[in-house]
């Protein structure tokens, strides 16, 4: 590898005062005359001139806060603008340094630049006392300014030429990932704002983003409670998620994109630091906004663009059900297998807020798990009309699936089949691949009771294909296990061993220990 070191130094004097032109902070170089920012490897960053001027004001005042008024009067002295331009520029600067906390907002004082600043290059101009040189003063200063701009530009161009190939490869890799295929996992938002007013953020913000993002023919955004199941499967916490936790989430799920976010700042000056974890690279950034709902909208739009170029946000007004902290606790308790305690918590939630349809649906799921089938059916009958009026398509599909399941477990296959078709139609409308897979599994179970094995095999294969869209190893492995079960019923040993070996292979490869033990036991008991 070839390294180039470029030295630029000027030795002029101007009334004995130095006018610093280049500053270094966090391995970035800011050129005052060119109003440019370059990284340590010489890559020029995209920055607006006004934003660079604001950055220079902050770094020149390093250690001292700069008021919003001062920023407006200095950078936009010849313009009539609102305070929003300051917020926008601060946001843009933070995006240049996504891995570092560079600007601290001090209430009623302004903005403080935190990192160390080192002046590197300076231009000083000496003006002679001889009157014969006075006429050349303006020309000399102009030449110095032009030379400084030229030198800063040349440095950037030279370094860019040698960094271009690397920069282009990086960009190409990211572009190749823009059309995400598989499942997208939005993790709980890490809240770092003090006060009970923002306790809802962890699951509430996560749920709002999930609800706003659309599914497509090639990918799906996993529902909030399913994400919590994935975290449980990966043995990962909801708070303070580490890199090793992200790797485990990739391993046990079908995720192609895992989104981690952290809320910082203070009310009316929010900063959302995000990390987009793809399987082969990571992309970081920060979004700022004075309004938290607008911040969520901006974050949702950013992720929608990452999922696919044509992704459009789902436009709806809603109060996320996950604003209720107890709901998250109830789901976590349910995932741990303590259904009675979870049931009590959910009953408390729906009693005080009947419109919390997520809580209503999970309560029904628990009643089914506890084999309280009639109670589940009565509750579905009471909740479904209001839910249909709410037009909450995701919860409508899930409740229809539970309704079909409640009839199936009470031996009413005819009604179960009819409702399952309604649920499937709703799931297809929303490209809800996980629900489509679950409904196909239910339809296969109904067909199995009539010994229509051709239909059963078709439905299990369709179930597997839906899980493959999500690239979900758990779902795909269980689909293969279902095909093995069917082969055993039909006394087809070759098909059985082929299918169960597929399930075992997936479970081994993706560290699905519980499933692996079950599949191995199933194979050992074959045809005995």
């Amino acid at each position: 590898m070839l390294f180039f070191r470029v030295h630029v130094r000027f030795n002029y004097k101007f009334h004995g005062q130095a006018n610093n032109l280049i500053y270094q902070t966090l391995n970035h170089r800011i050129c005052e005359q060119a109003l440019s920012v370059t990284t340590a490897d010489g890559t020029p960053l995209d920055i607006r001139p006004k934003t660079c001027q604001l950055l220079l004001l902050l770094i020149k005042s390093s250690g001292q806060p700069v008021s919003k008024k001062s920023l407006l009067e200095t950078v936009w002295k010849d313009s009539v603008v609102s305070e929003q331009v300051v917020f926008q520029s601060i946001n843009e600067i933070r995006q240049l340094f996504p891995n570092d906390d560079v600007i601290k907002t001090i209430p009623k004082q302004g903005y403080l630049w935190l990192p160390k600043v080192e002046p590197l290059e300076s231009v000083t101009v000496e003006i002679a006392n001889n009157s014969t040189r006075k006429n050349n003063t303006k020309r000399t200063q102009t030449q110095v300014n032009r030379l400084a701009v030229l030198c800063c530009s040349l440095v950037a161009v030279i370094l860019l030429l040698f960094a271009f190939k690397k920069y282009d490869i990086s960009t190409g890799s990211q572009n190749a990932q823009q059309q995400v295929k598989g499942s997208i996992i939005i993790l709980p938002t890490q809240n770092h704002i003090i006060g009970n007013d923002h306790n809802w953020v962890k699951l509430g913000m996560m749920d709002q983003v999930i609800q706003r993002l659309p599914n497509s023919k090639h990918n799906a955004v996993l529902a909030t409670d399913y994400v919590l199941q994935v975290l449980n499967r990966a043995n990962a916490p909801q708070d303070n998620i580490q890199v090793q936790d992200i790797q485990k989430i990739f391993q046990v799920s079908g995720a192609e994109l895992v989104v981690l976010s952290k809320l910082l700042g203070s009310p009316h000056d929010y900063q959302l630091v995000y990390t987009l974890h793809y399987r082969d690279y990571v992309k970081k950034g920060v979004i700022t906004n004075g309004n938290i709902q607008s911040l969520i909208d901006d974050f949702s739009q950013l992720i929608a663009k990452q999922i696919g170029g044509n992704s459009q946000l789902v436009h709806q007004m809603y109060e996320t059900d996950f604003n209720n902290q107890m709901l998250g606790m109830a789901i976590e308790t349910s995932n741990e297998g303590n259904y009675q305690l979870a049931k009590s918590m959910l009953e408390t939630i729906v009693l005080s807020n009947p419109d919390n349809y997520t809580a209503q649906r999970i309560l029904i799921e628990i009643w089914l798990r506890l084999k309280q089938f009639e109670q589940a059916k009565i509750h579905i009958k009471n909740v479904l009309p209001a839910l249909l009026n709410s037009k909450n398509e995701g919860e409508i599909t899930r409740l229809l699936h539970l309704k079909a399941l409640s009839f199936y477990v009470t031996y009413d296959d005819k009604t179960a089949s009819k409702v399952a078709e309604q649920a499937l139609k709703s799931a297809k409308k929303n490209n809800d691949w996980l629900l489509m897979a679950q409904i196909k599994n239910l339809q296969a179970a109904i067909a199995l009771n009539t010994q229509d094995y051709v239909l059963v095999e078709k439905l299990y294969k369709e179930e597997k294909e839906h899980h493959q869209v999500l690239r979900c190893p758990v779902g795909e492995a269980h689909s293969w296990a279902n095909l093995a079960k069917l082969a055993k019923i039909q006394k087809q040993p070759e098909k059985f061993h082929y299918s169960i070996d597929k399930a075992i292979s997936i479970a081994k490869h993706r560290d699905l220990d519980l499933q692996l033990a079950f599949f191995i036991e199933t194979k050992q008991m074959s045809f005995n």
Side-chain angles (χ1 to χ4, degrees):
M1 183 178 292
L2 189 61
F3 293 91
F4 286 81
R5 185 183 300 273
V6 181
H7 296 281
V8 182
R9 187 164 301 278
F10 300 93
N11 263 332
Y12 301 99
K13 291 184 180 179
F14 180 63
H15 293 305
Q17 300 294 322
N19 178 27
N20 290 313
L21 284 173
I22 301 177
Y23 299 87
Q24 179 166 294
T25 182
L26 290 174
N27 292 322
H28 286 59
R29 293 192 174 193
I30 299 94
C31 181
E32 184 173 11
Q33 292 295 331
L35 294 178
S36 65
V37 180
T38 56
T39 62
D41 64 0
T43 302
L45 301 181
D46 187 17
I47 185 170
R48 295 184 301 120
K50 291 292 186 184
T51 299
C52 194
Q53 289 177 25
L54 189 146
L55 171 60
L56 283 160
L57 277 177
L58 293 177
I59 64 177
K60 286 181 178 181
S61 303
S62 178
Q64 297 292 327
V66 183
S67 69
K68 192 182 303 176
K69 180 180 178 181
S70 178
L71 293 171
L72 284 168
E73 290 178 350
T74 305
V75 178
W76 290 275
K77 59 183 178 181
D78 298 322
S79 306
V80 179
V81 294
S82 68
E83 293 182 350
Q84 185 60 37
V85 297
V86 174
F87 298 142
Q88 177 65 29
S89 290
I90 294 291
N91 175 29
E92 291 171 5
I93 292 170
R94 283 175 170 142
Q95 289 187 27
L96 295 180
F97 304 88
N99 300 324
D100 301 281
D101 189 11
V102 292
I103 300 175
K104 181 177 181 180
T105 303
I106 303 178
K108 299 182 181 180
Q109 294 188 49
Y111 299 96
L112 176 67
W113 184 259
L114 298 175
K116 180 182 178 181
V117 178
E118 179 185 1
L120 295 181
E121 315 292 348
S122 64
V123 170
T124 53
V125 180
E126 179 183 6
I127 299 185
N129 293 326
N130 194 318
S131 60
T132 59
R133 297 176 59 189
K134 288 183 179 179
N135 292 334
N136 295 326
T137 300
K138 185 174 181 180
R139 180 183 298 176
T140 303
Q141 182 62 47
T142 301
Q143 289 173 340
V144 170
N145 289 342
R146 287 179 180 274
L147 183 58
V149 173
L150 176 62
C151 288
C152 286
S153 299
L154 285 174
V155 171
V157 169
I158 291 170
L159 294 174
L160 175 60
L161 286 173
F162 289 100
F164 180 77
K165 187 173 182 180
K166 179 180 179 182
Y167 179 78
D168 185 57
I169 290 173
S170 174
T171 303
S173 174
Q174 294 182 22
N175 288 338
Q177 290 285 337
Q178 290 300 300
Q179 297 294 332
V180 176
K181 293 184 178 181
S183 53
I184 295 96
I185 291 180
I186 313 296
L187 293 175
T189 299
Q190 311 303 304
N191 175 40
H192 290 263
I193 296 181
I194 299 173
N196 294 331
D197 290 347
H198 293 80
N199 286 343
W200 64 273
V201 162
K202 182 171 76 171
L203 297 181
M205 181 178 288
M206 163 196 184
D207 189 56
Q208 285 199 36
V209 173
I210 288 172
Q211 291 195 47
R212 295 218 62 195
L213 293 172
N215 296 327
S216 74
K217 293 181 179 180
H218 305 292
N219 58 47
V221 182
L222 297 187
T224 301
D225 48 323
Y226 190 76
V227 172
L228 298 181
Q229 291 178 30
V230 171
L231 287 175
N232 189 55
R233 192 189 307 155
N235 198 27
Q238 291 184 19
D239 299 295
N240 195 27
I241 295 174
Q242 303 297 315
V243 174
Q244 59 268 27
D245 298 318
I246 299 292
Q247 295 305 317
K248 187 64 175 178
I249 289 168
F250 275 122
Q251 186 71 7
V252 304
S253 74
E256 290 299 312
L257 171 61
V258 178
V259 180
L260 185 63
S261 59
K262 179 167 60 176
L263 185 67
L264 304 169
S266 59
H268 309 300
D269 187 15
Y270 296 107
Q271 299 111 44
L272 187 71
V273 179
Y274 63 85
T275 307
L276 307 179
H277 292 269
Y278 295 86
R279 285 189 174 270
D280 56 358
Y281 76 96
V282 172
K283 184 175 182 180
K284 299 184 178 184
V286 62
I287 302 172
T288 64
N289 203 300
N291 179 280
I292 198 162
Q293 188 59 57
S294 298
L295 186 75
I296 293 170
D297 292 343
D298 292 343
F299 189 38
S300 302
Q301 186 66 65
L302 183 145
I303 299 171
K305 289 180 180 178
Q306 297 298 312
I307 293 173
N310 296 322
S311 294
Q312 297 294 323
L313 292 181
V314 177
H315 295 287
Q316 58 182 20
M317 295 299 294
Y318 57 85
E319 180 76 8
T320 173
D321 290 340
F322 282 86
N323 281 1
N324 189 311
Q325 283 185 273
M326 189 181 290
L327 177 58
M329 294 171 60
I331 292 174
E332 192 170 354
T333 303
S334 176
N335 289 338
E336 292 170 353
N338 193 341
Y339 300 123
Q340 289 291 352
L341 178 57
K343 181 169 76 75
S344 298
M345 297 168 71
L346 291 163
E347 286 173 337
T348 300
I349 295 171
V350 301
L351 186 64
S352 61
N353 183 10
D355 292 336
N356 191 320
Y357 297 115
T358 302
Q360 298 275 22
R361 187 249 304 166
I362 297 173
L363 178 58
I364 292 167
E365 290 177 354
I366 289 178
W367 273 326
L368 291 173
R369 285 181 178 275
L370 296 174
K371 299 183 180 180
Q372 299 177 359
F373 302 136
E374 292 305 319
Q375 183 68 41
K377 289 169 78 172
I378 292 170
H379 204 74
I380 290 170
K381 185 178 180 180
N382 292 335
V383 172
L384 191 55
L387 181 55
L388 289 169
N389 289 332
S390 75
K391 298 182 179 180
N392 186 331
E393 298 293 342
E395 290 298 341
I396 289 172
T397 305
R398 285 161 175 75
L399 201 59
L400 285 172
H401 172 239
L402 290 178
K403 182 178 179 181
L405 194 60
S406 70
F407 282 107
Y408 171 75
V409 295
T410 52
Y411 303 100
D412 187 349
D413 286 0
K414 184 177 180 180
T415 305
S417 181
K418 182 178 178 181
V419 178
E421 281 296 331
Q422 291 179 297
L424 185 61
K425 183 178 179 180
S426 177
K428 286 180 177 178
K429 180 181 176 181
N430 302 313
N431 289 313
D432 196 328
W433 298 102
L434 182 60
L435 260 294
M436 280 191 268
Q438 292 174 349
I439 295 165
K440 292 288 184 180
N441 181 274
L442 175 59
Q443 290 178 321
I446 295 170
L448 198 60
N449 290 336
T450 64
Q451 298 183 357
D452 189 346
Y453 298 139
V454 174
L455 177 58
V456 173
E457 183 174 8
K458 174 178 177 293
L459 289 168
Y460 280 148
K461 286 181 177 179
E462 289 175 350
E463 175 196 6
K464 176 168 62 69
E465 289 169 0
H466 294 333
H467 283 304
Q468 285 172 336
V469 172
L470 295 173
R471 302 188 180 183
C472 176
V474 174
E476 186 180 355
H478 277 286
S479 295
W480 280 113
N482 286 333
L483 288 167
K485 178 181 68 176
L486 178 62
K488 184 176 180 179
I489 292 172
Q490 294 179 285
K491 301 187 185 306
Q492 297 173 333
E494 289 186 6
K495 272 191 175 182
F496 171 84
H497 287 290
Y498 176 80
S499 298
I500 199 65
D501 286 344
K502 281 283 190 180
I504 290 172
S505 175
I506 293 171
K508 281 183 177 178
H509 181 66
R510 302 302 283 272
D511 294 336
L512 305 176
D513 297 334
L514 291 176
Q515 289 81 3
L516 178 60
F518 172 75
F519 298 148
I520 291 175
E521 183 181 358
T522 300
K523 183 174 182 177
Q524 291 172 345
M525 294 174 62
S526 65
F527 298 101
N528 292 334

